[in-house]
């Protein structure tokens, strides 16, 4: 018999925690999970899933407008009902919470409702119980962070924005990251007068520069009011709204302000003060996902890697193989070439290096771009355009980056990501016969470099 109550005690039933718990249990490990909020974590409850549903709701706006050119006459101007969308979303998330509970149950994992506190290297306290475990896994994710300024308490964060009682007719989002551009597109599409305020000269820092410019122009065409090189100075409550004063002197009256100013590790009250942190305040882990106390493991957003659900899932699989598998993985988890999508409108999909990164890393590169009006919009009358871009290391001919801004960019780039990860050459792309007529075929028909 083991000297511990459990082989693995997981704190946090989000994407990474649940995957680690189930996978470890499948190896025969005795596993318990503590969760004090909701099953499925940020992604299921206040992130990827509800965001994608709202993004899809917002796309109908364009679809209704596009339909006219194809002969569809709508009997009246479509009206949007926020309560229907919000409540249908709540129902779907409840269903997913149930699925997560049943998955843990079926795997033989004990679920404990409560916020766990780590007492020492092998003991936690949760819901009045002290439990010992050979290994403790911290998978508590992140939490929205909002800077302080006069009136900052009047902002909403990305946990609160999903369940608003009333639809904001006038909406402002502060920030220039994923959440800011996605929610600007969502509320703009749903019919709000929308403002995005970002402190830098161009949002989506870190993405390919041309992609950022293209997304800026497309979002502006769709009606999002972009205020760059500005921040919020103050927010005051007015009768029936909020008055937002920007650092550039502009004053905007809105109904809701979303602060999408980043997320921080959710470590408060966990009893982990002695653990080593990174410069950004995340838990430092090695490639076995061990913190500075080797029996305490951590993965996902709390460790400061790419804050993406599939990354947490991959980390969970790797971690379990390391600590519960018959043999450890042969190599550390490979964080290169992780594809990602930003669900602004139009969507962005990207994998590999930006043009700027590739130029720095390889020196001589070839850049292939195409910027076109999708076939659909020849009849719809929409002025929406699509950008596709391949970046090639000139010496090896290997495609080191692929980027798209356009409808379903994430769906397209997911396929291209396999080729980029496999290290395929531009010649392989050229030898691939396209699917016609699609937008995606442009990725295999780009013949002449736009620049070197
Ligand atoms: P990000 O870190 O991506 O962006 C935060 C933004 O807030 C940046 O533009 C930053 O500006 C700005 N900011 C930070 N501090 C201040 C301040 N004091 N005043 C004004 N602006 C400020 O965070 P998000 O909250 O957008 O998202 C968190 C993470 O969640 C993302 O990085 C991503 O990994 C993940 N996510 C993924 C999604 C997806 O896969 N589609 C969707 C949503 C989130 P600056 O750039 O100048 O630093």
């Amino acid at each position: 018999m083991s000297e511990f109550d459990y082989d693995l005690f997981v704190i946090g039933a989000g994407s990474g925690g649940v995957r680690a718990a189930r996978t470890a249990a499948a190896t025969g490990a005795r596993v318990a999970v503590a969760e004090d909020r909701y099953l499925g974590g940020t992604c299921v409850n206040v992130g990827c899933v509800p965001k994608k549903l709202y993004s899809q709701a917002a796309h109908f706006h364009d679809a209704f407008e596009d339909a006219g050119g194809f002969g569809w006459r709508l009997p009246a101007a479509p009206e949007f009902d926020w309560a229907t969308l919000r409540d249908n979303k709540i129902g779907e998330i409840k269903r997913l919470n149930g699925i997560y509970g049943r998955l843990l149950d079926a795997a033989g994992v004990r679920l404990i409702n409560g916020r766990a506190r780590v007492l020492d290297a092998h003991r936690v306290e949760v819901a009045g119980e002290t439990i010992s475990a050979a290994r403790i896994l911290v998978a508590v994710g992140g939490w929205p962070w909002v800077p302080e300024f006069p009136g900052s308490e009047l902002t909403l964060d990305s946990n609160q924005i999903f369940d608003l009682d009333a639809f904001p007719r006038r909406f402002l989002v502060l920030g220039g990251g994923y959440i800011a551009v996605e929610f600007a597109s969502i509320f703009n599409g749903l019919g709000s007068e929308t403002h995005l305020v970002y402190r830098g000269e161009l949002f989506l820092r870190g993405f390919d520069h041309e992609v950022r410019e293209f997304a800026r122009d497309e979002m502006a065409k769709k009606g999002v009011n972009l205020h760059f090189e500005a921040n919020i100075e103050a927010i005051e409550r007015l009768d029936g709204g909020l008055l937002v004063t920007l650092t550039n002197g502009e004053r905007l009256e809105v109904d809701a302000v979303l602060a999408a100013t980043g997320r921080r590790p959710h470590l408060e009250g966990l009893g982990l003060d002695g653990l080593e942190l990174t410069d950004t305040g995340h838990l430092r882990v090695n490639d076995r996902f061990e913190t500075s106390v080797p029996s305490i493991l951590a993965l996902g957003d709390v460790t400061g890697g790419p804050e993406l659900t599939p990354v947490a899932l991959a980390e969970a699989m790797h971690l379990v193989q390391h600590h519960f598998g018959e043999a450890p993985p042969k190599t550390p988890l490979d964080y290169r070439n992780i594809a990602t999508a930003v669900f602004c409108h139009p969507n962005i999909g990207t994998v590999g290096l930006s043009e700027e990164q590739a130029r720095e890393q390889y020196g001589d590169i070839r850049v292939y771009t195409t910027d076109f009006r999708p076939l659909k919009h020849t009849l719809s009358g929409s002025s929406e355009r699509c950008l596709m871009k391949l970046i090639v290391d000139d010496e090896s001919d290997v495609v080191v980056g692929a980027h798209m801004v356009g409808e379903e960019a994430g769906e397209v780039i997911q396929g291209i990501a396999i080729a980029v990860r496999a290290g395929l050459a531009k010649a392989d792309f050229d030898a691939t016969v396209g699917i016609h007529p699609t937008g995606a075929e442009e990725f295999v028909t780009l013949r002449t470099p736009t620049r070197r």
Side-chain angles (χ1 to χ4, degrees):
M1 280 300 282
S2 159
E3 58 182 302
F4 300 110
D5 299 330
Y6 289 96
D7 299 310
L8 178 66
F9 190 95
V10 181
I11 308 179
S15 306
V18 168
R19 176 61 64 90
R22 291 173 52 210
T23 320
T27 69
R30 296 163 310 144
V31 184
V33 179
E35 170 60 55
D36 66 337
R37 210 171 160 84
Y38 28 44
L39 295 180
T42 301
C43 176
V44 165
N45 294 279
V46 286
C48 334
V49 175
K51 177 278 307 290
K52 184 79 186 279
L53 292 172
Y54 282 10
S55 176
Q56 276 156 340
H59 274 301
F60 280 99
H61 182 274
D62 286 347
F64 291 132
E65 284 192 352
D66 293 348
F70 290 87
W72 288 94
R73 298 278 167 268
L74 300 174
E79 277 177 26
F80 170 67
D81 179 43
W82 169 251
T84 301
L85 174 66
R86 182 197 59 208
D87 295 349
N88 286 346
K89 183 274 301 179
I90 290 172
E92 172 55 12
I93 301 309
K94 275 208 183 108
R95 191 183 73 84
L96 294 175
N97 295 146
I99 288 177
Y100 269 74
R102 287 194 291 282
L103 284 173
L104 287 172
D105 210 34
V109 174
R110 178 182 170 204
L111 176 64
I112 304 168
N113 191 354
R115 185 146 176 95
R117 200 164 61 85
V118 176
L119 301 176
D120 59 36
H122 292 286
R123 287 185 315 141
V124 296
E125 186 186 56
V126 58
E129 221 183 310
T130 300
I131 295 172
S132 66
R135 290 183 180 83
I136 297 166
L137 169 60
V138 183
V140 293
W143 201 252
W145 173 81
V146 179
E148 276 189 29
F149 49 79
S152 56
E153 70 283 359
L154 298 172
T155 62
L156 300 162
D157 66 30
S158 58
N159 289 348
Q160 298 164 320
I161 194 70
F162 288 101
D163 292 319
L164 295 179
D165 288 334
F167 180 72
R169 291 268 146 227
R170 300 160 302 172
F171 174 75
L172 184 148
V173 56
L174 174 65
Y178 280 80
I179 296 180
V181 296
E182 289 182 346
F183 273 95
S185 292
I186 287 170
F187 281 101
N188 183 58
L190 296 179
S192 305
E193 174 197 302
T194 300
H195 300 270
L196 182 147
V197 175
Y198 173 55
R199 63 184 177 180
E201 47 143 9
L202 186 56
F203 55 24
L204 293 172
R205 187 161 60 80
F207 284 77
D208 182 275
H209 199 266
E210 193 174 14
V211 163
R212 296 163 71 194
E213 288 181 328
F214 196 86
R216 172 199 63 198
D217 295 347
E218 290 298 313
M219 281 178 65
K221 270 190 334 205
K222 287 187 187 293
V224 178
N225 299 288
L226 299 168
H227 309 261
F228 290 156
E229 300 197 90
N231 214 329
I232 296 183
E233 195 162 274
I235 306 179
E236 291 159 60
R237 199 186 285 284
L238 297 176
D239 269 357
L242 300 168
L243 177 66
V244 184
T245 306
L246 304 187
T247 47
N248 63 10
E250 268 187 275
R251 286 151 76 87
L252 302 164
E253 266 188 55
V254 296
D255 301 309
V257 177
L258 168 65
T261 38
R263 296 170 58 84
R264 301 257 162 112
H266 193 202
L267 289 169
E268 288 80 19
L270 280 183
L272 295 173
D273 295 346
L275 294 188
E276 215 177 289
L277 300 182
T278 65
D279 297 345
T280 51
H282 295 84
L283 288 180
R284 187 184 294 286
V285 290
N286 61 19
D287 58 22
R288 293 164 52 85
F289 301 97
E290 292 161 346
T291 65
S292 50
V293 174
S295 62
I296 303 182
L297 315 173
L299 59 66
D301 291 1
V302 79
T303 60
E307 294 180 19
L308 301 168
T309 294
V311 171
L313 297 179
E315 289 177 345
M317 306 298 280
H318 230 73
L319 178 150
V320 169
Q321 210 185 328
H322 265 302
H323 294 278
F324 300 94
E326 280 170 12
K330 291 197 178 71
T331 51
L333 189 60
D334 186 357
Y335 289 90
R336 291 168 305 167
N337 294 322
I338 292 170
T340 177
V342 187
F343 295 96
C344 52
H345 295 188
N347 298 169
I348 296 172
T350 172
V351 61
L353 303 180
S354 66
E355 181 177 343
E356 298 73 40
Q357 289 167 328
R359 217 172 271 294
E360 204 178 307
Q361 199 164 318
Y362 292 98
D364 293 332
I365 57 170
R366 277 173 272 137
V367 180
Y368 298 79
T369 60
T370 175
D371 161 358
F372 58 96
R373 189 182 195 195
L375 177 64
K376 178 167 114 184
H377 296 316
T378 57
L379 293 199
S380 76
S382 163
S383 64
E384 183 177 312
R385 297 185 71 79
C386 177
L387 171 73
M388 289 181 183
K389 177 163 181 178
L390 284 179
I391 295 151
V392 179
D393 168 31
D394 196 39
E395 197 186 336
S396 65
D397 197 42
V398 168
V399 176
V400 296
H403 308 271
M404 173 172 169
V405 187
E407 199 171 332
E408 302 290 13
E411 304 288 343
V412 174
I413 288 292
Q414 179 64 87
I416 301 287
I418 303 170
V420 173
R421 202 197 124 66
L424 296 189
K426 177 67 169 63
D428 296 306
F429 279 64
D430 295 345
T432 303
V433 176
I435 304 172
H436 188 68
T438 62
E441 70 182 309
E442 296 285 327
F443 273 122
V444 296
T445 55
L446 290 164
R447 290 290 181 269
T448 314
T450 311
R451 57 188 168 271
R452 287 173 177 271

